[in-house]
Amino acid sequence: MSYRIAFVFDDTLDVLDGVQQHIVTLGKELARRGHDVHYLVGQTEHSPVPNTHVMSRNVMVSANGNRMRIPLPAGRRLIARTLAEGDFDILHVQAPYSPFMAGRVLKAASPNTGVVATYHIAVSDPLSAIGGLALGAINAHTHRRIDEVIAVSDVAARYAALTAHTNARVIANPVDVAMMRDRAAAVNVGALDGDIIAPHIVFLGRFVKRKGADILLDAIEYGERHRLFPAGTHVTMAGKGPLLEECRRRAAGFDTPVTFTGFIEESAKPALLRSADVAVFPATGGESFGIVLLEAIASGAKVTLAGDNPGYHSTLLGDTDALFPVRGRETARILAQRIARAIDDAAWAKQVHRREELLLERYDVRTIADQVEQVYAQAIAKRRAGRAV
């Protein structure tokens, strides 16, 4: 059975951060299966997907360690007209959500429409927990309209329980494994490194404190001081953010070459990650999941190492070889030694890589879409049962 589905998301689709990647990847797979997929979103000018309906303007705020956009109040007439024209079977709301846009969509939803919410967030500090509780209280009346609740990880499920007092079924973030592999294979990896056949360490992420770029630089500095890395080892750090220039200045004093690429397009990510002998993601917290870890694995990074925060720990199923501590005086030493082992110990690296590859079927978009379709059917069944009463 095919459905008319609307993803409801307060933010923009102009950038593909974690939640955007989630709904775009999942939506493309659902459309491939014959569903009619739409996106009701905040201010968006260059959407990567068809059937995008812009419902509000957005403003920038700081929250949960990131800069993010929140919607200004969406017009009720626009919402009513969009819902009437769409005649959706399912509204799939990304949570936590704003009362100014997604909350208004929920208020206006037809009683015949099944509503599903997916929680994506993890608490990063006490202030974000307080903010989440306040938002949960504000949205309590519209949250009752939701028929089924999903969380992308146990961490996100705990956030949903804390702030919305709801139990969530865990269905992970999706990764299009086939697409990542195809894009990675389409580029000559040697060309990325100037045909240097030497160990390559890759970091990909925003240059903000919680993403841990400074932790990787600490490890590189330690490795240089103790001569842990073989000759020719080089580092690529991709991304942008407020700490970029500080990291660039610090790395200029290293003997190990460190290249800062700035922002990298989604289409170029797989080839960069495939070129990595070691892909390193030292995030300290605030992660509900670890989609970038799976992108690195799917792209063909030889070993993927991750900071042992709750979201990454959950995604890697607690693999102690792939996880490293992100707090404490020994962090730089442990990470430097783990990177050196990934480069020098081929048998160990191959074992870690095999375990990481086994994760991909669990998180592949086709597996995830099967599970989400089941939840949609349950939500619609609840609506029909309610009409029959």
Side-chain angles (χ1 to χ4, degrees):
M1 178 181 292
S2 62
Y3 301 132
R4 291 178 62 82
I5 302 162
F7 287 99
V8 183
F9 180 47
D10 294 304
D11 208 338
T12 183
L13 292 183
D14 285 337
V15 295
L16 288 182
D17 293 332
V19 182
Q20 289 94 330
Q21 287 181 335
H22 179 110
I23 61 176
V24 167
T25 301
L26 179 58
K28 286 181 177 179
E29 173 61 18
L30 292 170
R32 188 188 67 82
R33 296 179 179 207
H35 301 292
D36 185 11
V37 179
H38 293 246
Y39 298 82
L40 278 55
V41 298
Q43 185 174 343
T44 298
E45 297 179 4
H46 305 289
S47 176
V49 286
N51 300 329
T52 297
H53 309 270
V54 177
M55 310 303 293
S56 68
R57 293 178 56 207
N58 288 46
V59 295
M60 294 293 296
V61 299
S62 295
N64 204 41
N66 275 332
R67 293 277 292 167
M68 61 182 292
R69 290 155 291 271
I70 62 171
L72 296 174
R76 291 184 172 88
R77 289 183 180 178
L78 173 61
I79 291 172
R81 183 172 69 250
T82 304
L83 294 180
E85 292 174 353
D87 190 22
F88 300 112
D89 300 300
I90 287 287
L91 295 177
H92 190 158
V93 180
Q94 310 311 303
Y97 58 86
S98 165
F100 297 130
M101 202 281 269
R104 290 187 172 190
V105 172
L106 288 177
K107 281 184 180 180
S110 164
N112 298 326
T113 301
V115 179
V116 175
T118 292
Y119 276 82
H120 296 268
I121 198 169
V123 173
S124 62
D125 53 53
L127 187 60
S128 66
I130 293 169
L133 285 165
L135 184 59
I138 292 168
N139 286 335
H141 62 299
T142 56
H143 204 282
R144 287 193 287 270
R145 179 61 182 83
I146 296 169
D147 300 299
E148 297 287 341
V149 180
I150 297 169
V152 298
S153 66
D154 291 334
V155 181
R158 289 195 290 273
Y159 179 92
L162 172 69
T163 61
H165 312 292
T166 187
N167 294 320
R169 173 181 174 177
V170 175
I171 299 178
N173 271 312
V175 176
D176 191 335
V177 174
M179 182 197 72
M180 296 297 291
R181 285 175 170 166
D182 288 347
R183 286 183 174 178
V187 175
N188 179 358
V189 170
L192 292 172
D193 302 325
D195 294 320
I196 299 172
I197 308 301
H200 188 200
I201 302 165
V202 171
F203 167 91
L204 174 63
R206 278 185 52 76
F207 282 79
V208 294
K209 186 67 177 177
R210 73 178 183 89
K211 290 295 185 179
D214 59 323
I215 293 174
L216 176 56
L217 293 177
D218 289 343
I220 299 302
E221 188 173 35
Y222 182 96
E224 282 190 358
R225 192 163 62 246
H226 295 273
R227 299 184 179 180
L228 296 181
F229 307 139
T233 298
H234 56 301
V235 182
T236 298
M237 302 187 76
K240 61 181 184 178
L243 300 182
L244 174 58
E245 290 308 315
E246 178 183 325
C247 291
R248 196 193 302 270
R249 286 193 297 270
R250 182 180 173 192
F254 292 176
D255 293 328
T256 303
V258 182
T259 301
F260 293 86
T261 67
F263 175 76
I264 185 167
E265 297 288 345
E266 286 296 309
S267 58
K269 280 169 51 176
L272 173 64
L273 293 168
R274 180 183 169 222
S275 73
D277 293 277
V278 196
V280 184
F281 304 98
T284 59
E287 304 290 342
S288 62
F289 194 72
I291 197 165
V292 71
L293 313 180
L294 301 172
E295 290 177 333
I297 296 165
S299 298
K302 292 184 176 64
V303 173
T304 297
L305 302 179
D308 195 1
N309 64 69
Y312 287 2
H313 188 101
S314 174
T315 300
L316 294 179
L317 304 184
D319 189 328
T320 54
D321 285 331
L323 294 160
F324 57 88
V326 288
R327 290 181 176 84
R329 296 176 60 184
E330 297 298 301
T331 295
R333 176 186 64 81
I334 293 170
L335 177 53
Q337 291 175 343
R338 196 72 58 83
I339 291 171
R341 187 174 188 185
I343 292 170
D344 294 333
D345 188 341
W348 180 85
K350 186 175 289 187
Q351 289 174 0
V352 175
H353 180 75
R354 284 175 178 167
R355 289 200 303 274
E356 291 180 336
E357 277 205 315
L358 289 174
L359 297 171
L360 294 177
E361 183 177 356
R362 177 189 187 96
Y363 299 117
D364 184 72
V365 66
R366 290 151 188 83
T367 303
I368 300 305
D370 288 343
Q371 298 171 21
V372 171
E373 283 180 325
Q374 292 173 9
V375 175
Y376 289 170
Q378 291 167 359
I380 291 170
K382 282 186 177 181
R383 290 286 111 195
R384 291 175 177 170
R387 293 201 305 272
V389 172

